[in-house]
Amino acid sequence: MIKAILIFNNHGKPRMSKFYEHYTEDTEQQIIRETFHLVSKRDENVCNFLEGGLLIGGSENKLIYRHYATLYFVFCVDSSESELGILDLIQVFVETLDKCFENVCELDLIFHLDKVHNILAEMVMGGMVLETNMSEIITQVEAQGKMEKSETFVFQCPRQDR
Amino acid sequence: MALKIVKGSIDRMFDKNLQDLVRGIRNHKEDEAKYISTCIDEIKQELKQDNIAVKANAVCKLTYLQMLGYDVSWAAFNIVEVMSSSKFTFKRIGYLAASQCFHEGTDVIMLTTNQIRKDLSSPNQYDTGVALTGLSCFVTPDLARDLANDIMTLMSHTKPYIRKKAVLIMYKVFLKYPESLRPAFPRLKEKLEDPDPGVQSAAVNVICELARRNPKNYLSLAPLFFKLMTSSTNNWVLIKIIKLFGALTPLEPRLGKKLIEPLTNLIHSTSAMSLLYECVNTVIAVLISLSSGMPNHSASIQLCVQKLRILIEDSDQNLKYLGLLAMSKILKTHPKSVQSHKDLILQCLDDKDESIRLRALDLLYGMVSKKNLMEIVKKLMLHVDKAEGTTYRDELLTKIIDICSQSNYQYITNFEWYISILVELTRLEGTRHGHLIASQMLDVAIRVKAIRGFAVAQMATLLDNAHLLTGNTQRNGICEVLYAAAWICGEFSEHLEDPMQTLEAMLRPKVATLPGHIQAVYVQNAAKLFATVLQKHEGETDSQAAQETSQLLIDRLPLFVQSANLEVQERASCILQLVKYIQKLQQKNVEVAEEVTALFAGELNPVAPKAQKKVPIPEGLDLDAWINEPPSESESEDEKPKAVFAKEEPKHYRSRNTEVDEKELARRREVRKQEQANNPFYIKASPSSQKVYDAPGVEHIPVVQIDLSVPLKVPGMPMSDQYLKLEEERQQKEKAERKKKEKKKKREKRGKGRKADSGPESEEDITPAQHVDIVTEEMPENALPSDDDDKDPNDPHRALDIDLDNLLSGFSSRPLADSEKLPVRTHRPEVLKSPAEDRVSESVPPETKKKSSKEKKEKKKDKEKDRKRSKEEKKKKKKHKEVEEELLESQPEEPVQSEETKEAAAPPTSTSAEEVTVPSSAVETSSAAVPESEPDEPKDTEPEDTKSSKHKKKKQKKEKEEKEKKKKKRHHHHHHHGEAGGEDSVQNGTVEEEEPLPPMSNYSVLAENSFIKMMREDAEQVYDIQGNHQDESKVVVSIIFENKSDSFLKSMEFNVLDSLNSKLQRPEGAGPHDGLTVPFQLPPGVSNEARFVFSVQSIVMPQKLKGTLTFIVKSDESSTHEKLDFKLHFTCTSYLITTPCYSDAYAKLLESGDLKGSSLRLEGINMPFHHLLARICFHHHFSVVERIDSCASMYSRSIQGHHVCLLVKTSDQTVSIDAKCDEPSLLGNVLDELKQTFSKC
């Protein structure tokens, strides 16, 4: 099971947080801070795994992360997930974001938090991996995007008939 | 209205959207909080508007603020509003917000049930998808219960996109609503073979997650997973399956043996590192589960270790890390294979990556031996000095202590060295593990008697230099070691060289800055030292010095008397008064030393950590019982002010109690004494033994031998190194001595029991520097040191420990009881395709059933569970074997499919025999199914129910307790059965205690030729459409067609020559002689099942119908037309429906006199009675009404409402059956068929 997925930048500012167990907002912020603290002090060329922080399950859980430019992508998982598998999954996630946003950068995530969530929802559901095939994920995301567009079109000119 | 909308949209133009909000926050970096609070005010305004678009926009912004850490739960209701918008865009925003901030405590969640249900059944797949995604995050037990059925339906949705989401969410539903697991499981299992890889992967995911927590319940799925493993190419699925096997193998070693080969193949063939790694991991798990002595597996271990070495040597840090991680798993069972890679692991200790160093440390733990312990620890100590961060240093520190203290100090040959290491560790600044070091010091000093002298000397130095340590006074800081030092110096003060100096060190004013609990120990142990000093001086008749000592205490103790810490204060003032008194005596020249030492005499023994828990509660002691009369509530208010004088009350009580129960008191005193004896820190008041004078153990304490031929101190070296050097030299010397074969007396004395064999030097040859006896910790008698009490009772997965085996196959299966079915809303009845539901909906109209059984359901559920569990236990063993056999037989390529499908097909169609295995559920159906023909019956059954409801309530309570105390469960069960009497203990003719039934098949071969085999099920599903005696009834016949040839079979046509009485139901428009096309084709080796409906007019006579099956055999070269003749035999029993009956209704029926009798005698029946009954039930659709010893009454009903009653008696291989029925010819035929069944065996 995946316990949480966090994205924050080099300064520890949260850019997206998805917790698959309930915590209060305060605890969530503490977890983000703690995780940032653990992850940020690591060198670039060390391994991508570390034992979980105290707040989110302790040594039962692992933090698996990747660092891309200004952003950290951190998955907190328990022992049932394959470490290397999750590492690949992060890669898929980032590549998907890249495709959906066309050259994704931190600002994209900041201004389109909802879209990031929607993309993630096609990959991971309730803490379990739903889909790992990137083209499938993109197809579904785009189909939903189209639906949204058609709705906004309808929404913008419904008054013609009144 | 229109105006409002226009107004809304104009408003909206001025609203901030999410982007504006984010931009605003970024522009207000200095006063972010203030800006956000104004934004929240705006959002509140927006939420008040009617326009859903405005609301959705507001909710979207709230989601962003939630991420920043703002509580947005106040908007929960608005979120629900947005969720229920008909527009997908808004719906998605609503569900996203809900998934981020809803949880079990959110009260508006109850309002969402219907909305979610609506969305789940929406024609738009993305509405459904969004609802499922949201639900997966905030599902509550209530939602799970209400929606489980809807989600189950979605598992068979046409779109794989929905299917995979529905499958995945089931795991969450199971967690919240464990009752749904059993009914949903068959379908979940089905999804393992879904054509869509995504759905398949989801199903694997869910089952793996379930099996990880309760592996034993999923063992029976092993063959299926095995098949998947050898066929799947999806690495994600493979990894999950392989991980699952890792969890299953410890329970089933035979599975492991089968796995090794395919896994090694995968290891050799795969290029994906993730897969390779998981394979290695599972092979390791398999090897651990197998007995390690197996020679042919050493190759596998070598392979694993070799692959891991490659990983560790890889430049990719991730692989290195994982390699070390997996290596540590091998270490536990095959330390030797790992130890050969010590070089590599020590190398990893120097890695720049902390995670890797930590993993390497873990490995070191298992690699130490007596020989290399000192060397390894030396290396670690170097790292301790180098370590920059405190966390890593602390980790090193705990590891050093772990390594040294493992398995009862097994590898330590020289405890002086260990004490020096501990002392060196105290020099670490800012460590959090002072407490750990302290407890090690205490442990070693108490348990290794020989080391006490040395330990005390070291501790005295520590106390002397306490100022070095007191810089860090935080809790668990290094000053904790002073606690240990003070206690050791005090307790073993007889070993001190200069107790006076230590006493002075302990009474320095600086001590007052230490934490309270340490001061308390200081004060107490100062008193002990005082006693020792006094004794020393009096021995030398130096009364002057003795009096000076007293004066010292009197001078210094007042400092502690003023302490803010109560404990310190109390101890100090106590001891101060004592010393003052002693001083008075001293001034009178009275010898006091002996009496003072007597205060602290007596040996303290080490106590095991769990000893206190294991002390059995003495018989008759009820810890929950009131000691006094419980105060009545009204009194307690009145008496509150009296509490000030409450002190008198206990006295009162005590005196009364002694009168009443002198023995009880004596026993309690015993218990208390025992407790005190077991408590190392309890200072005994009674001078029981005077250790200094008696010194009982002195002779037994071996004298430490210090080899003086080596220089005692190596200047400029830290202390522990000196021991390392000493040790090396000692070992070398011993070696040399051994070579010369000189046997010195001294060595013989030291190495008692050691044989000086001149073999190659092994670990055993290393003599410890001191002969130490490590005192084992004390435990109460008969208590076993176990860890079973460590399980977390709150783990949600415990509820999912549900036996699923019997859902899967075979006759002995436990079908789903009514109470287990998922709740379906009554106003929109949905016919489910699950086997269990199928049966009900066909035999009983669901509406009536619901009404009559609803109230009883709750109670019965518990009762059933009780009964089933005990039954299952027996079956489980059998199941286990079956699984094993299946596994062993099923080679991956072998076409075992036909058998499997047969088994899979069995449960849905074999109505009768299974349904009655649970008597109480059977009762339900009887009262519901026969309401018209026997209007009295339900009334009769009612009072019985209410009578027993009291029992049931009790049971419910007990059930709860049972969950906590699983061990006691069995006992309770038998108790229940005793209560419930004979009726309960009979389960379809099977008394619990009797041996299990032989398997019975209800398929018989109908006809067979070289191409095809037709198997016909004996127990047809029979149903009566009109329920009217004169009209036709319908009978369903299931036939399995199995292709035995190598060719393809197609265009199968099934035809029967109708008789007057029985006709094959043909589609409308078809002529009376047309055949029915079988709706499938058969590839070679495949079998499938088809059902045919016949209409029957009279059921009192058996029927035989002639039929033909025609089909085309198509091989590569040619195709031929073939046919097969068969005879369909409709026996009279096939018209009987298993209908349970209450014993009093049964009695009434017999009394009524409408029935005509007949009887039958069978000779030479050589089978247990319960087998006989089971056969009758199984083959002839009867149910047992009552059974007394070797006599049973049975009942069944025909589809046209004829009652058939049997009374079966047995004695000496003779079975007599008295039968009654309202239709004599039917009865005669049934009896004939019964006779036939038993003549066959």
Side-chain angles (χ1 to χ4, degrees):
Chain A
M1 286 278 278
I2 299 170
K3 306 284 176 178
I5 297 174
L6 308 174
I7 305 178
F8 43 74
N9 71 1
N10 288 346
H11 306 288
K13 283 250 181 224
R15 290 312 177 207
M16 194 218 67
S17 64
K18 180 86 209 165
F19 290 87
Y20 293 103
E21 275 164 15
H22 175 70
Y23 296 98
T24 63
E25 274 77 10
D26 285 343
T27 327
E28 284 184 5
Q29 293 303 309
Q30 276 175 30
I31 291 172
I32 294 172
R33 271 198 297 277
E34 189 193 25
T35 314
F36 170 70
H37 189 71
L38 284 171
V39 165
S40 62
K41 67 179 181 199
R42 292 173 65 84
D43 289 336
E44 272 306 295
N45 48 1
V46 297
C47 74
N48 299 96
F49 316 119
L50 67 162
E51 262 82 89
L54 295 172
L55 288 169
I56 188 158
S59 57
E60 274 271 288
N61 294 338
K62 271 208 181 71
L63 297 176
I64 299 172
Y65 74 96
R66 271 184 188 271
H67 189 193
Y68 292 93
T70 57
L71 291 175
Y72 284 97
F73 288 73
V74 187
F75 279 47
C76 179
V77 301
D78 69 9
S79 63
S80 74
E81 299 296 338
S82 148
E83 291 89 347
L84 293 171
I86 294 290
L87 220 48
D88 288 346
L89 188 71
I90 300 179
Q91 183 67 29
V92 170
F93 183 33
V94 174
E95 281 179 32
T96 313
L97 288 176
D98 199 50
K99 285 254 168 65
C100 292
F101 285 109
E102 286 160 18
N103 279 327
V104 70
C105 69
E106 191 182 340
L107 283 177
D108 289 322
L109 304 199
I110 299 173
F111 285 108
H112 302 281
L113 177 70
D114 48 344
K115 201 171 169 190
V116 179
H117 271 295
N118 294 335
I119 293 169
L120 184 63
E122 295 302 321
M123 294 180 65
V124 179
M125 193 174 121
M128 284 182 290
V129 178
L130 180 69
E131 185 59 68
T132 52
N133 180 347
M134 189 159 54
S135 58
E136 169 71 15
I137 298 167
I138 292 174
T139 318
Q140 302 299 350
V141 169
E142 281 175 353
Q144 290 175 59
K146 260 183 210 153
M147 257 184 76
E148 205 175 86
K149 262 189 199 139
S150 69
E151 277 183 2
T152 36
F153 177 72
V154 172
F155 176 74
Q156 273 168 354
C157 32
R159 277 159 216 109
Q160 289 170 353
D161 50 22
R162 272 165 222 246
Chain B
M1 180 66 193
L3 192 72
K4 236 180 190 176
I5 290 172
V6 173
K7 186 173 170 280
S9 66
I10 289 170
D11 281 348
R12 202 169 163 253
M13 296 207 312
F14 302 106
D15 287 343
K16 280 197 199 84
N17 62 12
L18 174 62
Q19 280 74 30
D20 299 327
L21 172 79
V22 174
R23 214 165 283 133
I25 293 174
R26 288 166 72 81
N27 291 336
H28 292 78
K29 283 219 166 90
E30 316 78 46
D31 54 345
E32 194 182 291
K34 198 179 150 205
Y35 178 75
I36 288 177
S37 76
T38 56
C39 286
I40 289 180
D41 288 340
E42 282 169 26
I43 289 171
K44 282 182 179 160
Q45 285 307 314
E46 287 165 26
L47 288 176
K48 278 180 194 154
Q49 292 186 35
D50 285 337
N51 190 329
I52 194 74
V54 178
K55 271 187 190 161
N57 183 45
V59 165
C60 187
K61 287 190 276 183
L62 283 178
T63 313
Y64 184 82
L65 295 179
Q66 196 271 343
M67 180 192 73
L68 295 184
Y70 289 86
D71 177 23
V72 299
S73 54
W74 49 267
F77 184 76
N78 304 102
I79 292 173
V80 175
E81 281 180 310
V82 176
M83 274 162 75
S84 48
S85 155
S86 59
K87 290 247 168 22
F88 172 72
T89 317
F90 304 146
K91 192 184 287 298
R92 184 156 77 163
I93 291 171
Y95 271 106
L96 174 61
S99 73
Q100 290 294 87
C101 67
F102 282 12
H103 55 94
E104 269 180 41
T106 310
D107 40 8
V108 294
I109 265 192
M110 347 181 267
L111 305 177
T112 61
T113 317
N114 277 317
Q115 179 57 40
I116 296 173
R117 180 175 285 138
K118 210 174 112 197
D119 290 337
L120 289 182
S121 54
S122 157
N124 181 346
Q125 63 166 333
Y126 293 114
D127 282 350
T128 315
V130 155
L132 284 173
T133 307
L135 190 61
S136 73
C137 291
F138 57 77
V139 61
T140 62
D142 285 342
L143 281 178
R145 191 194 57 230
D146 296 340
L147 297 171
N149 201 34
D150 302 68
I151 299 172
M152 270 258 287
T153 323
L154 289 181
M155 280 166 77
S156 317
H157 199 271
T158 50
K159 298 230 169 66
Y161 178 76
I162 300 299
R163 280 211 302 279
K164 72 180 176 192
K165 287 196 170 195
V167 168
L168 215 50
I169 203 178
M170 278 318 279
Y171 178 66
K172 294 278 175 172
V173 174
F174 296 151
L175 275 186
K176 299 289 177 188
Y177 179 55
E179 286 87 342
S180 61
L181 179 56
R182 273 177 60 83
F185 194 73
R187 191 168 301 187
L188 183 61
K189 199 187 147 207
E190 233 172 78
K191 294 295 144 203
L192 283 176
E193 291 174 302
D194 195 280
D196 184 83
V199 182
Q200 196 186 33
S201 158
V204 169
N205 217 334
V206 171
I207 292 188
C208 288
E209 209 53 59
L210 289 169
R212 200 163 63 90
R213 310 296 181 143
N214 302 299
K216 64 175 192 310
N217 300 337
Y218 299 86
L219 267 179
S220 56
L221 288 181
L224 188 57
F225 276 114
F226 195 86
K227 210 172 88 193
L228 276 179
M229 183 177 79
T230 43
S231 61
S232 176
T233 51
N234 180 344
N235 278 353
W236 261 98
V237 172
L238 279 176
I239 288 174
K240 282 278 172 195
I241 293 175
I242 288 167
K243 265 184 172 281
L244 172 70
F245 277 131
L248 292 183
T249 41
L251 300 166
E252 183 51 270
R254 289 218 252 165
L255 173 65
K257 273 186 215 158
K258 270 207 71 117
L259 280 173
I260 288 232
E261 203 202 318
L263 285 179
T264 17
N265 289 343
L266 266 177
I267 290 178
H268 283 301
S269 64
T270 185
S271 59
M273 273 302 178
S274 46
L275 186 58
L276 172 97
Y277 173 68
E278 294 306 338
C279 285
V280 170
N281 250 335
T282 299
V283 171
I284 294 169
V286 169
L287 292 175
I288 290 172
S289 71
L290 293 175
S291 54
S292 53
M294 302 195 75
N296 48 338
H297 290 311
S298 60
S300 314
I301 300 168
Q302 277 315 311
L303 177 70
C304 288
V305 175
Q306 194 190 324
K307 285 280 174 189
L308 290 179
R309 186 169 175 118
I310 293 172
L311 289 185
I312 296 173
E313 283 172 336
D314 199 289
S315 59
D316 186 343
Q317 297 282 349
N318 291 331
L319 298 183
K320 199 183 273 260
Y321 174 88
L322 293 175
L324 289 169
L325 197 63
M327 202 68 121
S328 64
K329 286 179 194 155
I330 303 188
L331 187 70
K332 282 174 206 137
T333 48
H334 302 88
K336 287 236 171 75
S337 353
V338 182
Q339 268 160 12
S340 54
H341 300 282
K342 203 176 96 190
D343 56 316
L344 190 63
I345 287 151
L346 285 177
Q347 206 178 305
C348 289
L349 271 187
D350 296 321
D351 200 284
K352 58 188 178 313
D353 189 344
E354 190 177 298
S355 303
I356 286 176
R357 288 200 303 257
L358 286 174
R359 292 282 76 80
L361 271 182
D362 282 345
L363 276 170
L364 274 185
Y365 177 84
M367 297 180 78
V368 291
S369 63
K370 281 184 180 166
K371 225 169 38 183
N372 62 15
L373 175 72
M374 284 184 167
E375 185 198 328
I376 287 180
V377 171
K378 184 187 165 193
K379 203 161 172 181
L380 292 181
M381 291 299 282
L382 281 179
H383 279 284
V384 170
D385 289 338
K386 279 194 287 181
E388 59 286 353
T390 48
T391 31
Y392 178 60
R393 206 174 52 189
D394 280 355
E395 190 62 33
L396 271 171
L397 189 153
T398 47
K399 270 282 135 42
I400 290 175
I401 290 178
D402 276 357
I403 287 174
C404 292
S405 63
Q406 67 174 308
S407 37
N408 218 2
Y409 307 104
Q410 191 192 343
Y411 299 118
I412 295 185
T413 51
N414 187 334
F415 275 94
E416 287 189 19
W417 163 81
Y418 186 45
I419 295 270
S420 336
I421 288 284
L422 289 176
V423 172
E424 268 174 50
L425 286 176
T426 62
R427 289 182 210 145
L428 292 184
E429 269 173 47
T431 178
R432 286 185 294 114
H433 292 289
H435 190 76
L436 183 66
I437 302 176
S439 65
Q440 280 289 303
M441 286 173 169
L442 285 170
D443 198 41
V444 172
I446 294 170
R447 292 174 60 190
V448 187
K449 284 184 183 167
I451 203 68
R452 280 178 193 167
F454 181 78
V456 166
Q458 291 292 313
M459 296 303 121
T461 337
L462 264 187
L463 287 179
D464 242 359
N465 300 318
H467 57 276
L468 295 176
L469 304 174
T470 45
N472 177 2
T473 48
Q474 79 198 58
R475 252 196 179 257
N476 258 343
I478 200 65
C479 63
E480 280 299 312
V481 297
L482 292 176
Y483 175 99
W487 190 86
I488 292 172
C489 284
E491 186 62 23
F492 307 118
S493 53
E494 69 269 20
H495 297 291
L496 270 178
E497 257 176 50
D498 189 356
M500 191 59 200
Q501 192 194 342
T502 312
L503 182 59
E504 259 193 300
M506 282 169 70
L507 293 171
R508 279 181 204 143
K510 193 104 205 268
V511 172
T513 60
L514 288 174
H517 66 286
I518 298 180
Q519 285 185 56
V521 170
Y522 264 69
V523 171
Q524 185 72 22
N525 285 286
K528 290 183 198 168
L529 276 175
F530 173 62
T532 317
V533 173
L534 272 189
Q535 201 174 20
K536 206 172 168 190
H537 290 320
E538 278 186 11
E540 295 158 6
T541 57
D542 189 352
S543 62
Q544 181 64 31
Q547 287 194 23
E548 275 171 21
T549 319
S550 311
Q551 193 52 49
L552 177 76
L553 258 77
I554 290 167
D555 290 345
R556 299 280 176 86
L557 278 175
L559 176 70
F560 296 103
V561 176
Q562 293 160 10
S563 167
N565 188 301
L566 261 186
E567 171 108 11
V568 180
Q569 207 183 88
E570 191 181 359
R571 284 181 194 247
S573 58
C574 222
I575 288 165
L576 182 61
Q577 291 313 312
L578 185 72
V579 176
K580 279 182 183 162
Y581 179 68
I582 289 167
Q583 197 184 32
K584 262 187 216 159
L585 290 176
Q586 279 175 332
Q587 280 157 0
K588 289 177 195 161
N589 272 333
V590 181
E591 298 227 331
V592 288
E594 196 172 325
E595 279 158 46
V596 178
T597 28
L599 282 175
F600 306 108
E603 188 86 358
L604 292 177
N605 290 325
V607 182
K610 282 182 185 166
Q612 183 66 56
K613 248 199 250 172
K614 302 277 175 180
V615 175
I617 295 176
E619 219 176 292
L621 175 65
D622 182 1
L623 290 175
D624 295 327
W626 285 92
I627 298 174
N628 288 316
E629 289 294 306
S632 69
E633 294 205 349
S634 57
E635 259 178 65
S636 66
E637 275 190 355
D638 298 336
E639 286 183 359
K640 252 181 191 168
K642 282 187 189 171
V644 184
F645 308 102
K647 272 184 183 172
E648 283 172 22
E649 276 177 33
K651 270 187 199 166
H652 199 72
Y653 151 74
R654 207 174 271 169
S655 63
R656 198 177 55 196
N657 198 41
T658 31
E659 285 167 12
V660 179
D661 204 350
E662 192 75 34
K663 269 187 196 167
E664 172 75 20
L665 254 190
R667 221 197 42 246
R668 280 189 201 160
R669 207 174 292 135
E670 238 356 269
V671 173
R672 200 170 55 232
K673 267 187 194 163
Q674 199 188 342
E675 254 170 47
Q676 289 167 359
N678 288 336
N679 185 351
F681 302 112
Y682 185 84
I683 294 144
K684 281 169 202 157
S686 58
S688 51
S689 68
Q690 303 183 342
K691 65 175 171 189
V692 181
Y693 298 106
D694 297 354
V698 166
E699 285 88 357
H700 305 296
I701 300 174
V703 181
V704 177
Q705 302 279 339
I706 298 174
D707 202 339
L708 289 174
S709 60
V710 192
L712 252 183
K713 283 201 173 177
V714 185
M717 259 195 171
M719 289 232 296
S720 59
D721 281 0
Q722 153 202 334
Y723 283 100
L724 184 59
K725 218 168 180 176
L726 269 175
E727 178 72 17
E728 275 165 12
E729 279 168 34
R730 190 179 67 88
Q731 279 181 22
Q732 255 172 8
K733 209 174 125 200
E734 268 181 22
K735 232 184 191 171
E737 275 176 26
R738 211 175 296 137
K739 271 180 189 164
K740 285 180 211 158
K741 293 189 179 176
E742 285 175 8
K743 288 180 184 175
K744 285 183 182 174
K745 280 178 195 171
K746 195 173 141 196
R747 264 187 54 212
E748 268 180 4
K749 212 179 181 182
R750 195 204 294 162
K752 235 181 215 175
R754 186 179 62 82
K755 280 160 200 156
D757 47 358
S758 51
E761 197 189 22
S762 67
E763 285 206 354
E764 285 75 28
D765 287 332
I766 301 169
T767 9
Q770 297 106 350
H771 187 84
V772 284
D773 70 315
I774 300 169
V775 185
T776 44
E777 296 160 321
E778 285 190 346
M779 283 288 260
E781 278 173 53
N782 301 329
L784 287 172
S786 62
D787 296 296
D788 52 357
D789 36 21
D790 292 341
K791 277 189 183 165
D792 177 15
N794 295 326
D795 184 2
H797 296 95
R798 282 181 70 167
L800 284 179
D801 190 357
I802 295 168
D803 187 15
L804 298 162
D805 273 1
N806 44 23
L807 268 176
L808 302 177
S809 63
F811 158 73
S812 56
S813 63
R814 170 166 76 93
L816 292 168
D818 282 353
S819 56
E820 279 184 313
K821 277 163 204 152
L822 295 176
V824 193
R825 284 170 311 147
T826 40
H827 61 272
R828 198 202 283 176
E830 276 171 65
V831 181
L832 269 183
K833 274 152 208 159
S834 108
E837 247 102 330
D838 241 1
R839 243 180 281 144
V840 174
S841 56
E842 275 164 28
S843 58
V844 182
E847 297 278 337
T848 45
K849 195 188 69 68
K850 265 259 150 74
K851 269 179 205 163
S852 67
S853 60
K854 222 173 193 174
E855 312 95 53
K856 299 172 200 167
K857 246 184 204 173
E858 281 296 301
K859 299 170 197 161
K860 274 175 186 154
K861 203 157 72 180
D862 293 291
K863 206 175 169 189
E864 273 163 36
K865 268 188 196 162
D866 257 10
R867 222 173 285 143
K868 278 170 203 160
R869 243 180 246 155
S870 56
K871 215 180 168 188
E872 272 162 29
E873 267 159 43
K874 258 194 286 166
K875 281 175 187 163
K876 233 179 243 169
K877 279 184 194 165
K878 218 171 103 189
K879 265 284 131 59
H880 251 295
K881 270 186 198 161
E882 280 176 20
V883 172
E884 285 162 16
E885 282 161 14
E886 224 176 309
L887 243 185
L888 291 172
E889 286 162 12
S890 69
Q891 290 297 322
E893 300 84 12
E894 224 174 50
V896 270
Q897 221 183 355
S898 62
E899 290 220 347
E900 273 175 41
T901 37
K902 234 185 289 162
E903 279 191 353
T909 40
S910 63
T911 23
S912 49
E914 286 176 24
E915 202 162 57
V916 263
T917 41
V918 185
S920 52
S921 78
V923 169
E924 269 172 35
T925 28
S926 94
S927 56
V930 217
E932 279 137 303
S933 52
E934 283 137 319
D936 297 351
E937 223 179 71
K939 276 182 198 163
D940 284 344
T941 58
E942 218 44 66
E944 251 215 15
D945 240 4
T946 41
K947 249 186 258 169
S948 56
S949 70
K950 272 189 185 172
H951 280 306
K952 285 168 190 163
K953 268 188 187 165
K954 262 188 205 166
K955 277 177 203 165
Q956 249 173 341
K957 256 190 188 171
K958 271 185 188 163
E959 269 248 329
K960 273 184 193 166
E961 289 162 26
E962 278 167 12
K963 270 180 193 166
E964 284 151 30
K965 299 181 178 179
K966 275 196 171 173
K967 278 182 189 170
K968 283 188 178 173
K969 199 163 74 184
R970 272 209 190 141
H971 176 77
H972 273 287
H973 270 305
H974 289 298
H975 190 60
H976 286 331
H977 284 301
E979 265 183 357
E983 184 201 58
D984 255 3
S985 63
V986 183
Q987 293 205 350
N988 203 14
T990 318
V991 176
E992 299 257 5
E993 290 76 24
E994 280 167 314
E995 56 195 285
L997 290 167
M1000 286 181 265
S1001 161
N1002 48 2
Y1003 281 89
S1004 58
V1005 177
L1006 191 62
E1008 186 173 7
N1009 66 9
S1010 55
F1011 298 109
I1012 194 163
K1013 184 172 166 188
M1014 288 168 74
M1015 308 258 292
R1016 181 267 181 106
E1017 199 200 358
D1018 282 341
E1020 291 99 325
Q1021 234 171 1
V1022 188
Y1023 57 99
D1024 172 11
I1025 288 187
Q1026 270 80 24
N1028 198 326
H1029 289 211
Q1030 273 78 43
D1031 275 16
E1032 299 185 326
S1033 302
K1034 300 200 173 168
V1035 175
V1036 179
V1037 179
S1038 314
I1039 295 175
I1040 292 180
F1041 297 91
E1042 184 188 341
N1043 185 348
K1044 288 167 59 189
S1045 66
D1046 302 327
S1047 322
F1048 201 82
L1049 300 187
K1050 60 181 221 178
S1051 312
M1052 286 185 278
E1053 226 175 68
F1054 179 91
N1055 202 359
V1056 172
L1057 267 179
D1058 292 348
S1059 71
L1060 274 178
N1061 194 25
S1062 317
K1063 292 188 174 71
L1064 176 64
Q1065 293 258 305
R1066 294 176 169 88
E1068 271 183 49
H1073 304 295
D1074 292 350
L1076 277 181
T1077 318
V1078 180
F1080 47 78
Q1081 303 180 326
L1082 287 177
V1086 171
S1087 63
N1088 206 339
E1089 186 177 18
R1091 295 181 181 192
F1092 303 95
V1093 184
F1094 290 84
S1095 57
V1096 182
Q1097 274 181 342
S1098 160
I1099 59 158
V1100 297
M1101 297 281 280
Q1103 306 279 331
K1104 267 187 189 160
L1105 294 180
K1106 274 190 182 174
T1108 17
L1109 180 78
T1110 56
F1111 51 91
I1112 294 173
V1113 182
K1114 198 181 172 196
S1115 57
D1116 290 338
E1117 312 90 55
S1118 62
S1119 58
T1120 51
H1121 210 265
E1122 298 283 344
K1123 72 170 202 168
L1124 176 65
D1125 291 329
F1126 58 87
K1127 260 185 198 164
L1128 260 182
H1129 190 149
F1130 290 96
T1131 56
C1132 280
T1133 38
S1134 57
Y1135 303 126
L1136 295 183
I1137 315 170
T1138 313
T1139 319
C1141 183
Y1142 256 137
S1143 56
D1144 40 359
Y1146 186 77
K1148 232 175 207 174
L1149 189 65
L1150 289 179
E1151 278 167 20
S1152 68
D1154 301 337
L1155 309 182
K1156 314 206 164 54
S1158 174
S1159 67
L1160 175 72
R1161 256 178 100 78
L1162 299 164
E1163 304 274 350
I1165 300 291
N1166 197 8
M1167 65 167 82
F1169 188 54
H1170 71 280
H1171 286 189
L1172 181 102
L1173 293 184
R1175 263 177 197 278
I1176 298 177
C1177 292
F1178 186 76
H1179 292 296
H1180 300 282
H1181 314 173
F1182 276 86
S1183 64
V1184 175
V1185 179
E1186 205 166 356
R1187 177 182 164 188
I1188 300 153
D1189 297 330
S1190 59
C1191 179
S1193 50
M1194 306 178 87
Y1195 174 80
S1196 187
R1197 196 174 68 99
S1198 80
I1199 47 173
Q1200 293 180 356
H1202 307 288
H1203 305 283
V1204 188
C1205 306
L1206 298 183
L1207 182 66
V1208 187
K1209 289 183 219 160
T1210 178
S1211 63
D1212 297 336
Q1213 308 200 347
T1214 309
V1215 179
S1216 65
I1217 301 175
D1218 291 311
K1220 283 191 171 179
C1221 177
D1222 41 12
E1223 178 58 62
S1225 51
L1226 175 68
L1227 182 62
N1229 287 321
V1230 169
L1231 285 182
D1232 284 349
E1233 283 158 18
L1234 268 172
K1235 201 171 174 179
Q1236 223 166 26
T1237 315
F1238 289 103
S1239 65
K1240 271 185 227 159
C1241 44

